[in-house]
Amino acid sequence: MTQRRDRRGWPSRGLHRLALAALAVATAAVPTIAVAGAGAAPAPSSAVAAAPAAPDLGAGTLVLDPSMSTAEIQAKVDAIATAQVSNEMGPERHAILFKPGTYGTAANPLNFQVGYYTEVAGLGKDPGDVVINGSVYVRNQCGSSGCIALNNFWRSMSNLTVNVTTPGFGCYSGQFWAVSQAAPLRRVHVKGQTTLMDYCTGPSFASGGFIADSKFDGTVINGSQQQFFTRNSVLNGWTNGVWNQVFSGVEGAPAECFPGAPNGCGPYTTFATTSVSREKPYLYVDDKGAYRVFVPAAATDSSGVTWASGSTPGRSIGIGDFYVARPSDSAQAINRELARGRNLLLTPGVYHLDQTLKVKRADTVVLGLGLASLTPTDGQVAMSVADVPGVDIAGITFDAGPVNSPVLLQIGTQRAAGTPAASRAGWSSAADPTALQDVFFRIGGPYVGKATVSLQVNSDHVVLDDIWAWRADHGNGVGWTSNTADTGLVVNGDHVTATGLFVEHYQKTEVIWNGEHGSVTFFQNELPYDPPSQAAWMSAPGHEGYPALLVGPGVKSFSGSGMGSYSFFNQGVDIFAANAFEVPATPGVRLHDLLTIFLDPSTGKGGIRNVVNGVGGSSTIANPDVPVTVVEYP
């Protein structure tokens, strides 16, 4: 994301006062919540079986126990935050895991900051099993351009309850989660006010975020979040929108209102249910102290949280069925364990791979802790998945290596054109779809990286839930001829569903969708900043630039909703894209609530000529920072 943004949408002092007033009401009397079974451990007895041995989850994993003092926990988590808050491109990775119990009290709360490459998660079966009296927060980063959240990427919080308790915090009272891409909230219950922006320091820009399977008892302040996606959750108030906020299967979501009405509603894109979903697998400790991984079941036409009426439906896998890998493990060693039928748990760190990791067994789970990263070193595919159903890949970052890879993650083998569905029986399953949750891709940033395609989906019935594919616009190894990458996502399979899709800065068409019956709910895109000339960025003679999303000319069924594309061409010359979206003109292909934006009139050039297929008007210096919208196409 660029650090140059419009100055619309961040709250006035009036909103700040409203936020503080709401917070005062929400936290006037915050009790300490007792969790069943979270009291002092019983005295040892020969009749009580010893707890199973805990797995070694790597040097980057910190496991906390409610018997530890708040002061001891505070010191440990603060040390990680000190190291990671500004460590945007470093190799360190951390998982902070809370065993079931209560942490902090109303009088002595636990409040700590979450930096880069830090996963904070509860180890309970349900979000109420771990309760933090305090807050787990992300704030603006301040520099020469002011204080912003535009680069607050690569961190997460999940599977716990936050009893918001922030005495003496002044402006920072409340639960702050000021982030942009790749910083999801999942399976959290926040009791108190939540803000998705840091309004305490300016200009407070934020752009893009993801929430799923979560409940908020207090108002959520959207503030300056330009686009944001919330799925299958429960809200008790949402303050505003900027360019578009998208809600799918969210109880208490604001009503559909797009484009936004000045001094009125929106801009909101709202769906009562989510057509297809599969929540992210998670590590937990059972009643006997054994570590297990829970894999939620797929759901259709769902709304609200999966844990509203009891535990989330799904299956539990013992940790003994996982190979617990470390960054020092070779790709050959990991593949050997996968071939033996084991699942894969990647402990925190950066894995340099000299061969492709091959997932061949149906229902294999590949779960990363601490945003574990995979980098191919020799130009190979980093990971491939065979033509099998039910595979789940979650919590992993794929970094391109210095030698160009054709693809970083390949799901299924690419079938010949015209292959009938009957011959693909067993490759996929609507009842047991393959799923990717919180899977991120980078081309450059930590080091020089090259990959033609980041993610290629050839299988049918795949769920893509919170995907960020990013060709770096800052960091190391960044330049038009350095971090080269054509396309972020290619979909060749049928019945592929994307919920929360972020794809940015690729050098050709950013998303190519060739499969039938595909669906995208929420799409955020920035075109590449750095084409050196219009001649260097032409998809065909006479056709300027490349679209953000292209639906293949033969596709007869596709739906896309809540989709935005921005331009910021920063090379000092006019660069144009003919269209943000290009789709075949057929009744079965429909788009809903689209927008384009021209960013930063001080240095930006060129723009986007049309929203979709020559329709919708242009985003240029003539209308900077103003959404150009199309509500329905065709």
Side-chain angles (χ1 to χ4, degrees):
M1 303 298 295
T2 179
Q3 294 189 10
R4 301 171 175 85
R5 292 292 190 195
D6 78 310
R7 298 178 181 264
R8 300 172 59 253
W10 51 291
S12 65
R13 294 179 181 175
L15 176 56
H16 182 188
R17 289 194 297 269
L18 175 63
L20 295 178
L23 180 62
V25 172
T27 60
V30 181
T32 301
I33 296 181
V35 177
S45 167
S46 59
V48 178
D56 181 354
L57 298 177
T61 299
L62 173 64
V63 179
L64 300 170
D65 188 282
S67 66
M68 300 168 65
S69 71
T70 300
E72 181 183 1
I73 294 172
Q74 189 78 62
K76 291 178 181 292
V77 295
D78 285 351
I80 293 174
T82 298
Q84 294 303 112
V85 163
S86 60
N87 191 17
E88 183 176 3
M89 297 300 175
E92 294 78 14
R93 303 288 186 270
H94 295 272
I96 301 174
L97 307 179
F98 290 83
K99 285 187 174 181
T102 300
Y103 298 82
T105 66
N108 187 24
L110 177 63
N111 291 283
F112 66 96
Q113 191 168 9
V114 182
Y116 284 106
Y117 312 112
T118 303
E119 174 187 6
V120 178
L123 287 174
K125 182 71 177 299
D126 302 305
D129 294 340
V130 172
V131 177
I132 295 176
N133 289 298
S135 65
V136 183
Y137 60 86
V138 182
R139 296 177 180 170
N140 289 335
Q141 295 191 70
C142 297
S144 59
S145 60
C147 299
I148 57 174
L150 291 174
N151 293 340
N152 283 350
F153 312 138
W154 306 307
R155 63 202 76 193
S156 67
M157 180 167 65
S158 63
N159 200 35
L160 50 78
T161 294
V162 178
N163 235 8
V164 181
T165 313
T166 51
F169 269 45
C171 180
Y172 282 107
S173 296
Q175 170 60 40
F176 278 63
W177 194 258
V179 300
S180 289
Q181 291 80 6
L185 291 176
R186 288 184 182 270
R187 291 176 62 81
V188 297
H189 185 183
V190 181
K191 299 185 175 183
Q193 182 176 278
T194 300
T195 177
L196 302 177
M197 71 171 297
D198 175 356
Y199 45 70
C200 297
T201 55
S204 305
F205 301 151
S207 180
F210 179 92
I211 293 172
D213 204 21
S214 296
K215 182 178 180 181
F216 299 87
D217 290 358
T219 298
V220 176
I221 297 173
N222 174 77
S224 61
Q225 285 285 352
Q226 295 160 351
Q227 282 189 264
F228 205 95
F229 181 54
T230 306
R231 179 184 62 69
N232 288 79
S233 294
V234 178
L235 298 176
N236 188 25
W238 185 278
T239 61
N240 68 294
V242 179
W243 295 338
N244 197 11
Q245 319 304 307
V246 180
F247 307 88
S248 178
V250 177
E251 297 176 5
E256 171 94 10
C257 179
F258 185 90
N263 301 316
C265 61
Y268 302 134
T269 297
T270 303
F271 297 94
T273 61
T274 301
S275 60
V276 181
S277 61
R278 186 162 214 163
E279 302 299 339
K280 180 183 176 183
Y282 57 92
L283 188 68
Y284 76 103
V285 177
D286 68 14
D287 294 340
K288 296 180 180 179
Y291 281 75
R292 304 183 68 84
V293 171
F294 192 82
V295 184
T300 57
D301 298 324
S302 60
S303 64
V305 297
T306 60
W307 41 274
S309 303
S311 295
T312 300
R315 61 191 173 101
S316 180
I317 307 173
I319 198 67
D321 290 330
F322 280 81
Y323 179 63
V324 181
R326 287 163 186 57
S328 58
D329 289 343
S330 67
Q332 182 181 28
I334 295 173
N335 273 331
R336 183 170 58 244
E337 298 300 326
L338 288 169
R340 289 174 175 172
R342 301 182 80 181
N343 302 289
L344 180 61
L345 184 69
L346 297 167
T347 61
V350 178
Y351 295 71
H352 295 281
L353 308 172
D354 61 1
Q355 60 182 255
T356 301
L357 297 185
K358 296 181 179 180
V359 179
K360 300 179 179 180
R361 179 178 59 84
D363 297 315
T364 299
V365 175
V366 179
L367 178 62
L369 294 181
L371 290 91
S373 299
L374 304 180
T375 298
T377 59
D378 298 326
Q380 78 277 18
V381 175
M383 181 181 289
S384 65
V385 177
D387 297 317
V388 295
V391 172
D392 207 307
I393 300 171
I396 300 172
T397 299
F398 289 83
D399 279 315
V403 181
N404 187 73
S405 294
V407 179
L408 292 178
L409 173 59
Q410 181 174 301
I411 308 297
T413 56
Q414 190 164 357
R415 61 184 184 258
T419 304
S423 69
R424 306 197 302 268
W427 289 16
S428 62
S429 168
D432 185 24
T434 286
L436 280 62
Q437 303 100 348
D438 303 341
V439 175
F440 311 129
F441 302 87
R442 295 190 298 192
I443 313 294
Y447 32 71
V448 173
K450 303 172 185 288
T452 305
V453 174
S454 290
L455 171 61
Q456 185 179 78
V457 179
N458 299 316
S459 296
D460 299 341
H461 298 291
V462 176
V463 177
L464 307 176
D465 191 52
D466 188 27
I467 305 297
W468 187 33
W470 182 63
R471 175 180 168 264
D473 62 275
H474 63 275
N476 302 309
V478 173
W480 187 252
T481 59
S482 298
N483 59 328
T484 54
D486 287 356
T487 300
L489 169 64
V490 176
V491 174
N492 296 317
D494 297 340
H495 300 283
V496 174
T497 300
T499 48
L501 178 60
F502 308 76
V503 183
E504 300 187 298
H505 311 316
Y506 286 80
Q507 293 173 295
K508 294 185 179 179
T509 302
E510 314 241 351
V511 174
I512 300 173
W513 204 289
N514 296 319
E516 291 289 354
H517 309 292
S519 173
V520 175
T521 303
F522 184 91
F523 174 68
Q524 184 173 20
N525 166 261
E526 283 187 349
L527 298 174
Y529 297 163
D530 54 342
S533 66
Q534 187 70 70
W537 200 58
M538 298 282 287
S539 56
H543 194 84
E544 295 172 316
Y546 293 83
L549 186 146
L550 170 72
V551 177
V555 173
K556 295 180 172 54
S557 175
F558 174 86
S559 65
S561 299
M563 304 202 299
S565 179
Y566 319 154
S567 74
F568 172 62
F569 298 113
N570 65 3
Q571 298 299 294
V573 295
D574 282 333
I575 308 290
F576 289 94
N579 299 286
F581 305 98
E582 295 182 2
V583 302
T586 184
V589 175
R590 303 197 63 86
L591 307 180
H592 174 69
D593 289 3
L594 312 177
L595 66 94
T596 62
I597 292 281
F598 176 91
L599 295 173
D600 201 334
S602 61
T603 57
K605 297 290 185 177
I608 302 172
R609 300 283 194 192
N610 300 283
V611 178
V612 52
N613 289 9
V615 173
S618 62
S619 300
T620 67
I621 191 66
N623 54 348
D625 301 327
V626 177
V628 176
T629 63
V630 170
V631 176
E632 299 288 348
Y633 183 87

